[in-house]
Amino acid sequence: MPAKDTYYVTTPIYYVNDVPHLGHAYTTVATDVVARFHRQRGERVFFLTGTDENSQKIPRAAEAAGKDPNQWLEEIVPRWREVWERLDISHDDFIRTTEERHVKPVQRFAQALYDKGEVYLGTYRGLYCVSCEQFYKEDELVDGKCPVHGIPVEHVEEENYFFRLSSYQDRLLQLYEENPTFVQPDERRNEVIAFVKGGLEDLSFSRTTFTWGVPIPWDPKHVIYVWVDALQNYITAVGYGDDDARFERIWPADVHFVGKDILRFHAVIWPALLMAAGLPVPKQVFAHGWLLVGGEKMSKTKLTGIHPLELIDQFGTDAYRYYFLREVQFGADGSFSWESMVARYNADLANDYGNLASRVLAMTAAYFDGMVPEPPAGPGPESRLAEVAAAAAGRYDERMLALDLTEGIAAVWDFVKEVNRYLVEVAPWALAKDPARRDDVARAIYAGLESLRILAILTAPVMPGTSAKLWASLGIEAPLAEQVLPGAAAWGGLRPGTRTTRGEALFPRIEVDEGAEAEGAGE
Ligand code: MSP
């Protein structure tokens, strides 16, 4: 039997009743950064994303648009793919739950649970929010409306199959106990444990009041409850019920990234379903926070959704990727504002990083005809820089492994700031006026270029396009993709004599009228 040899990371699969907004892109970018980071460590990675198409929202959206549901899907799914492309998302697969490779194994899974007696027939009476695709109890509603979407819930009474979720309470609590990082961050873990301790009810496993969905194989007037079907994308995409060898090399997932609104499905229902089927559970479920607008979750339902392309067009792909991960502590809620994005772009990217690169490359061109100079032997003021680089690379590695993406990136920026400080202190532009100081200039320029090499590597998962440009400017022959961490970040990797080019500005400053920028910076 093959052993697991792949780091497997997933995004939720998105409801395609509308185009993506910043919230969806947030989950996807974070997952992409983690996937790229693990590839950079030399691991085999499988990164899955996709679309959740068996939801009632789909025929409803199609009807509102005067279209057939399948025609709707064929038109909307490419609009999601386009955004992922523009955001440089490096997924290895994109699963759609209407595909046969998903539907067939889902039916087999359902049959297996039914045959084991894990699923039984009953009647459901309750309240349902189609936006959440979830049942609610009366006391969970806010002013009689869905607590997440603020829209009216629907009264439902129908014949359903039920999954014996209630019988998994102890096994789930044992799972959280034995694997303290199964749910992260800790605050979310505590919420999940409290929820499960409060007692679990059996879960609706099928629906009968509509036909859009995956039919129950032994009773086709039922369709499988969309969440039961959707969660299985994580296994159907990697060979479950189809290619056992592949399945065993990839499953279980190392981490499912989800927003906190869908944590219970992933941390309670999903492991229980897998246990019922006799399959291994994922290693971790990480719930990030919400992007807020006016203090509330950004959403299309509330008309606060912002389309990612609006920001990508203005700031570029890499600045977009950087901004959300740096600005919002990963795991916590955070607000987006245009002003804070401009302020961060200009401060961190245009000034600290972009200017650093253009200054160092310009000096290399001016003083050494573009060639990486040979630094004189023996320690100089750059020894401290080398130490800071090593510390930053170490902290980056440790924080990224812990999925603390915000601090991982911050560690790299501590280094960026240190390089800037070093250059101001040594002032190679002043030394260059004195021919007797040629060695000191060579030392400083080498240190600057070597710092850029390390920065191009460390920032590559977050800003792949910028790193590729900087790498090309540095003229290093070995491909950036082959730089394996942690070794590649060790000081001294840049070879003297390498021919650099100045390249275009990495992050041209965004000019805003001064009043607006000052307001943003003060927020
Ligand atoms: N289809 C289900 C997931 C099934 S996974 C087996 C779903 N889809 S969704 O399109 O509604 O949302 C997908 C993800 O986007 C969730 O992780 C959700 O938290 C995230 N976001 C949607 N709005 C968000 C914000 N405003 N902020 C951050 N992320 C949010 O749920």
Side-chain angles (χ1 to χ4, degrees):
M1 238 193 243
K4 177 172 160 74
D5 65 1
T6 303
Y7 182 85
Y8 180 25
V9 62
T10 66
T11 72
I13 49 171
Y14 300 98
Y15 290 131
V16 280
N17 54 317
D18 209 332
V19 293
H21 62 61
L22 299 184
H24 307 121
Y26 183 62
T27 318
T28 306
V29 166
T31 312
D32 185 61
V33 168
V34 171
R36 287 176 181 271
F37 168 71
H38 279 267
R39 290 192 195 109
Q40 194 178 40
R41 296 182 99 251
E43 293 167 58
R44 185 198 289 266
V45 170
F46 192 76
F47 166 18
L48 178 69
T49 191
T51 45
D52 190 347
E53 303 185 356
N54 297 320
S55 161
Q56 281 180 82
K57 297 171 200 255
I58 305 301
R60 288 189 186 189
E63 197 186 318
K67 293 185 175 159
D68 163 80
N70 290 311
Q71 184 195 355
W72 170 265
L73 288 172
E74 291 327 303
E75 286 173 19
I76 193 102
V77 173
R79 307 208 36 204
W80 284 72
R81 288 185 187 270
E82 180 201 358
V83 175
W84 300 158
E85 221 164 90
R86 289 285 307 278
L87 280 172
D88 231 343
I89 303 302
S90 64
H91 50 276
D92 297 291
D93 196 358
F94 186 107
I95 189 155
R96 299 180 51 183
T97 54
T98 49
E99 289 173 311
E100 193 169 297
R101 63 167 173 152
H102 176 75
V103 171
K104 289 275 176 273
V106 163
Q107 288 182 317
R108 275 200 287 274
F109 186 99
Q111 185 74 53
L113 258 49
Y114 186 58
D115 294 346
K116 285 181 167 188
E118 295 280 356
V119 166
Y120 64 91
L121 192 60
T123 302
Y124 198 94
R125 274 178 213 91
L127 304 161
Y128 198 81
C129 169
V130 178
S131 274
C132 297
E133 288 283 17
Q134 183 181 346
F135 285 104
Y136 280 106
K137 294 191 203 123
E138 197 80 53
D139 62 2
E140 290 175 309
L141 303 181
V142 176
D143 300 330
K145 294 184 176 153
C146 164
V148 176
H149 296 93
I151 54 173
V153 288
E154 297 175 14
H155 284 270
V156 168
E157 178 167 353
E158 63 182 61
E159 190 185 84
N160 278 185
Y161 282 96
F162 286 87
F163 167 58
R164 296 188 194 283
L165 181 63
S166 60
S167 66
Y168 284 87
Q169 184 179 17
D170 292 345
R171 275 172 280 184
L172 287 168
L173 290 172
Q174 192 187 346
L175 168 69
Y176 311 140
E177 183 71 26
E178 288 173 359
N179 303 280
T181 57
F182 179 76
V183 181
Q184 281 295 297
D186 281 337
E187 193 192 338
R188 301 276 163 248
R189 170 175 190 261
N190 297 337
E191 283 169 16
V192 168
I193 292 177
F195 173 74
V196 174
K197 280 194 173 151
L200 296 173
E201 287 178 12
D202 286 350
L203 174 81
S204 204
F205 189 83
S206 71
R207 302 289 309 274
T208 42
T209 43
F210 51 88
T211 54
W212 183 257
V214 179
I216 288 269
W218 67 90
D219 193 351
K221 68 176 183 297
H222 289 249
V223 291
I224 297 176
Y225 171 42
V226 64
W227 268 102
V228 171
D229 138 28
L231 287 162
Q232 289 180 66
N233 87 89
Y234 302 131
I235 56 173
T236 59
V238 296
Y240 166 74
D242 171 45
D243 181 345
D244 292 345
R246 175 159 185 257
F247 185 60
E248 270 150 31
R249 284 205 322 273
I250 304 179
W251 186 257
D254 289 82
V255 52
H256 292 312
F257 281 106
V258 299
K260 63 180 184 180
D261 48 330
I262 57 172
L263 178 59
R264 279 185 200 172
F265 292 101
H266 286 81
V268 180
I269 296 174
W270 181 223
L273 285 168
L274 289 163
M275 288 173 183
L279 294 172
V281 299
K283 293 189 184 173
Q284 187 171 80
V285 180
F286 188 100
H288 65 69
W290 283 345
L291 293 184
L292 308 174
V293 173
E296 285 193 52
K297 181 180 178 237
M298 176 183 300
S299 84
K300 281 279 178 176
T301 327
K302 292 187 179 162
L303 302 178
T304 50
I306 300 172
H307 195 285
L309 295 186
E310 291 173 44
L311 297 185
I312 301 172
D313 287 342
Q314 173 71 43
F315 295 94
T317 298
D318 282 359
Y320 181 110
R321 294 168 58 102
Y322 172 85
Y323 169 76
F324 286 99
L325 294 180
R326 180 78 201 266
E327 182 76 13
V328 180
Q329 179 64 44
F330 194 57
D333 291 349
S335 296
F336 154 79
S337 82
W338 184 271
E339 292 78 8
S340 81
M341 194 159 177
V342 172
R344 243 198 209 284
Y345 177 97
N346 280 340
D348 298 8
L349 300 179
N351 288 355
D352 290 352
Y353 187 32
N355 278 352
L356 171 66
S358 50
R359 269 156 85 201
V360 172
L361 289 163
M363 287 191 286
T364 313
Y367 311 146
F368 298 99
D369 201 18
M371 304 284 241
V372 177
E374 176 91 42
E382 77 288 355
S383 315
R384 183 176 144 68
L385 203 53
E387 277 166 32
V388 175
R395 183 156 170 76
Y396 164 79
D397 195 55
E398 185 251 324
R399 286 295 82 205
M400 295 296 282
L401 282 176
L403 304 179
D404 184 356
L405 310 186
T406 309
E407 284 307 311
I409 299 170
V412 179
W413 251 257
D414 289 345
F415 178 49
V416 171
K417 288 200 185 301
E418 188 63 31
V419 188
N420 280 314
R421 246 195 311 270
Y422 164 85
L423 287 176
V424 169
E425 237 169 70
V426 177
W429 48 89
L431 300 180
K433 294 184 184 134
D434 179 357
R437 306 292 302 270
R438 180 99 179 137
D439 268 4
D440 293 329
V441 180
R443 194 189 278 288
I445 297 306
Y446 182 86
L449 289 167
E450 173 60 359
S451 299
L452 292 182
R453 184 190 70 86
I454 294 172
L455 285 171
I457 296 172
L458 296 182
T459 55
V462 180
M463 301 195 286
T466 305
S467 285
K469 278 193 215 161
L470 183 53
W471 199 254
S473 289
L474 290 171
I476 303 167
E477 242 173 60
L480 178 56
E482 285 171 18
Q483 306 304 307
V484 177
L485 284 179
W491 188 268
L494 187 60
R495 252 191 283 141
T498 307
R499 173 160 293 285
T500 67
T501 43
R502 291 186 58 174
E504 52 187 290
L506 296 178
F507 298 101
R509 210 183 147 74
I510 294 180
E511 299 302 340
V512 279
D513 85 79
E514 283 192 3
E517 190 173 11
E519 249 171 57
E523 261 181 12

PDB file of all heavy atoms in Angstrom, residues 259 266 268 284 296 306 313 358 388 440 446 453 465:
ATOM      1  N   GLY A 259     -13.529  29.603   5.930  1.00  0.00           N
ATOM      2  CA  GLY A 259     -13.925  30.765   6.714  1.00  0.00           C
ATOM      3  C   GLY A 259     -14.627  30.271   7.964  1.00  0.00           C
ATOM      4  O   GLY A 259     -15.158  29.165   7.985  1.00  0.00           O
ATOM      5  N   HIS A 266     -16.918  21.512   8.600  1.00  0.00           N
ATOM      6  CA  HIS A 266     -15.619  20.880   8.368  1.00  0.00           C
ATOM      7  C   HIS A 266     -15.042  20.212   9.601  1.00  0.00           C
ATOM      8  O   HIS A 266     -14.282  19.254   9.484  1.00  0.00           O
ATOM      9  CB  HIS A 266     -14.622  21.927   7.844  1.00  0.00           C
ATOM     10  CG  HIS A 266     -14.870  22.301   6.419  1.00  0.00           C
ATOM     11  ND1 HIS A 266     -15.830  23.205   6.040  1.00  0.00           N
ATOM     12  CD2 HIS A 266     -14.296  21.865   5.269  1.00  0.00           C
ATOM     13  CE1 HIS A 266     -15.832  23.321   4.723  1.00  0.00           C
ATOM     14  NE2 HIS A 266     -14.908  22.525   4.227  1.00  0.00           N
ATOM     15  N   VAL A 268     -16.894  19.205  12.402  1.00  0.00           N
ATOM     16  CA  VAL A 268     -17.822  18.307  13.110  1.00  0.00           C
ATOM     17  C   VAL A 268     -18.412  17.286  12.127  1.00  0.00           C
ATOM     18  O   VAL A 268     -18.212  16.076  12.252  1.00  0.00           O
ATOM     19  CB  VAL A 268     -18.956  19.112  13.798  1.00  0.00           C
ATOM     20  CG1 VAL A 268     -19.904  18.176  14.537  1.00  0.00           C
ATOM     21  CG2 VAL A 268     -18.372  20.165  14.748  1.00  0.00           C
ATOM     22  N   GLN A 284      -5.973  18.740   9.747  1.00  0.00           N
ATOM     23  CA  GLN A 284      -6.287  20.039  10.350  1.00  0.00           C
ATOM     24  C   GLN A 284      -7.331  20.815   9.550  1.00  0.00           C
ATOM     25  O   GLN A 284      -7.380  20.723   8.329  1.00  0.00           O
ATOM     26  CB  GLN A 284      -5.017  20.890  10.428  1.00  0.00           C
ATOM     27  CG  GLN A 284      -5.208  22.186  11.182  1.00  0.00           C
ATOM     28  CD  GLN A 284      -3.880  22.895  11.431  1.00  0.00           C
ATOM     29  OE1 GLN A 284      -3.353  23.553  10.561  1.00  0.00           O
ATOM     30  NE2 GLN A 284      -3.360  22.751  12.618  1.00  0.00           N
ATOM     31  N   GLU A 296     -19.602  44.423   9.215  1.00  0.00           N
ATOM     32  CA  GLU A 296     -20.312  43.177   8.913  1.00  0.00           C
ATOM     33  C   GLU A 296     -19.589  42.389   7.846  1.00  0.00           C
ATOM     34  O   GLU A 296     -18.854  42.949   7.035  1.00  0.00           O
ATOM     35  CB  GLU A 296     -21.716  43.503   8.397  1.00  0.00           C
ATOM     36  CG  GLU A 296     -22.660  43.955   9.489  1.00  0.00           C
ATOM     37  CD  GLU A 296     -24.095  43.954   8.984  1.00  0.00           C
ATOM     38  OE1 GLU A 296     -24.537  42.929   8.449  1.00  0.00           O
ATOM     39  OE2 GLU A 296     -24.755  44.997   9.114  1.00  0.00           O
ATOM     40  N   ILE A 306     -17.237  43.199  -3.010  1.00  0.00           N
ATOM     41  CA  ILE A 306     -16.409  43.953  -3.961  1.00  0.00           C
ATOM     42  C   ILE A 306     -15.732  42.925  -4.855  1.00  0.00           C
ATOM     43  O   ILE A 306     -15.228  41.914  -4.374  1.00  0.00           O
ATOM     44  CB  ILE A 306     -15.337  44.785  -3.223  1.00  0.00           C
ATOM     45  CG1 ILE A 306     -16.022  45.775  -2.276  1.00  0.00           C
ATOM     46  CG2 ILE A 306     -14.421  45.510  -4.214  1.00  0.00           C
ATOM     47  CD1 ILE A 306     -15.069  46.509  -1.353  1.00  0.00           C
ATOM     48  N   ASP A 313      -6.876  45.485 -10.842  1.00  0.00           N
ATOM     49  CA  ASP A 313      -6.598  46.451 -11.911  1.00  0.00           C
ATOM     50  C   ASP A 313      -5.841  47.659 -11.377  1.00  0.00           C
ATOM     51  O   ASP A 313      -4.960  48.195 -12.032  1.00  0.00           O
ATOM     52  CB  ASP A 313      -7.906  46.924 -12.574  1.00  0.00           C
ATOM     53  CG  ASP A 313      -8.514  45.832 -13.456  1.00  0.00           C
ATOM     54  OD1 ASP A 313      -7.776  44.889 -13.807  1.00  0.00           O
ATOM     55  OD2 ASP A 313      -9.708  45.913 -13.770  1.00  0.00           O
ATOM     56  N   SER A 358      15.307  48.919  -6.673  1.00  0.00           N
ATOM     57  CA  SER A 358      15.794  49.763  -7.771  1.00  0.00           C
ATOM     58  C   SER A 358      17.069  50.503  -7.389  1.00  0.00           C
ATOM     59  O   SER A 358      17.944  50.678  -8.242  1.00  0.00           O
ATOM     60  CB  SER A 358      14.708  50.692  -8.319  1.00  0.00           C
ATOM     61  OG  SER A 358      14.098  51.372  -7.289  1.00  0.00           O
ATOM     62  N   VAL A 388      20.743  39.009  10.521  1.00  0.00           N
ATOM     63  CA  VAL A 388      19.310  39.366  10.489  1.00  0.00           C
ATOM     64  C   VAL A 388      18.597  38.553   9.407  1.00  0.00           C
ATOM     65  O   VAL A 388      17.465  38.090   9.599  1.00  0.00           O
ATOM     66  CB  VAL A 388      19.117  40.880  10.265  1.00  0.00           C
ATOM     67  CG1 VAL A 388      17.644  41.235  10.122  1.00  0.00           C
ATOM     68  CG2 VAL A 388      19.730  41.668  11.415  1.00  0.00           C
ATOM     69  N   ASP A 440      34.990  48.881  -0.085  1.00  0.00           N
ATOM     70  CA  ASP A 440      33.827  49.043   0.798  1.00  0.00           C
ATOM     71  C   ASP A 440      32.540  49.155  -0.015  1.00  0.00           C
ATOM     72  O   ASP A 440      31.484  48.664   0.394  1.00  0.00           O
ATOM     73  CB  ASP A 440      33.993  50.283   1.687  1.00  0.00           C
ATOM     74  CG  ASP A 440      35.128  50.098   2.684  1.00  0.00           C
ATOM     75  OD1 ASP A 440      35.355  48.932   3.083  1.00  0.00           O
ATOM     76  OD2 ASP A 440      35.795  51.094   3.028  1.00  0.00           O
ATOM     77  N   TYR A 446      27.454  44.160  -2.866  1.00  0.00           N
ATOM     78  CA  TYR A 446      27.248  42.710  -2.800  1.00  0.00           C
ATOM     79  C   TYR A 446      26.189  42.393  -1.741  1.00  0.00           C
ATOM     80  O   TYR A 446      25.260  41.605  -1.978  1.00  0.00           O
ATOM     81  CB  TYR A 446      28.543  41.949  -2.487  1.00  0.00           C
ATOM     82  CG  TYR A 446      28.284  40.448  -2.467  1.00  0.00           C
ATOM     83  CD1 TYR A 446      28.331  39.704  -3.649  1.00  0.00           C
ATOM     84  CD2 TYR A 446      27.916  39.794  -1.283  1.00  0.00           C
ATOM     85  CE1 TYR A 446      28.023  38.346  -3.655  1.00  0.00           C
ATOM     86  CE2 TYR A 446      27.602  38.440  -1.271  1.00  0.00           C
ATOM     87  CZ  TYR A 446      27.663  37.724  -2.465  1.00  0.00           C
ATOM     88  OH  TYR A 446      27.348  36.389  -2.473  1.00  0.00           O
ATOM     89  N   ARG A 453      18.431  38.854  -3.353  1.00  0.00           N
ATOM     90  CA  ARG A 453      18.280  37.440  -3.739  1.00  0.00           C
ATOM     91  C   ARG A 453      17.451  36.707  -2.682  1.00  0.00           C
ATOM     92  O   ARG A 453      16.486  35.987  -2.997  1.00  0.00           O
ATOM     93  CB  ARG A 453      19.656  36.763  -3.880  1.00  0.00           C
ATOM     94  CG  ARG A 453      19.586  35.314  -4.374  1.00  0.00           C
ATOM     95  CD  ARG A 453      20.932  34.603  -4.256  1.00  0.00           C
ATOM     96  NE  ARG A 453      21.301  34.350  -2.873  1.00  0.00           N
ATOM     97  CZ  ARG A 453      20.928  33.271  -2.159  1.00  0.00           C
ATOM     98  NH1 ARG A 453      20.198  32.339  -2.717  1.00  0.00           N
ATOM     99  NH2 ARG A 453      21.290  33.144  -0.895  1.00  0.00           N
ATOM    100  N   GLY A 465       4.914  36.896  -8.947  1.00  0.00           N
ATOM    101  CA  GLY A 465       5.254  37.646 -10.160  1.00  0.00           C
ATOM    102  C   GLY A 465       6.412  38.600  -9.910  1.00  0.00           C
ATOM    103  O   GLY A 465       7.350  38.701 -10.717  1.00  0.00           O
TER     104      GLY A 465
END
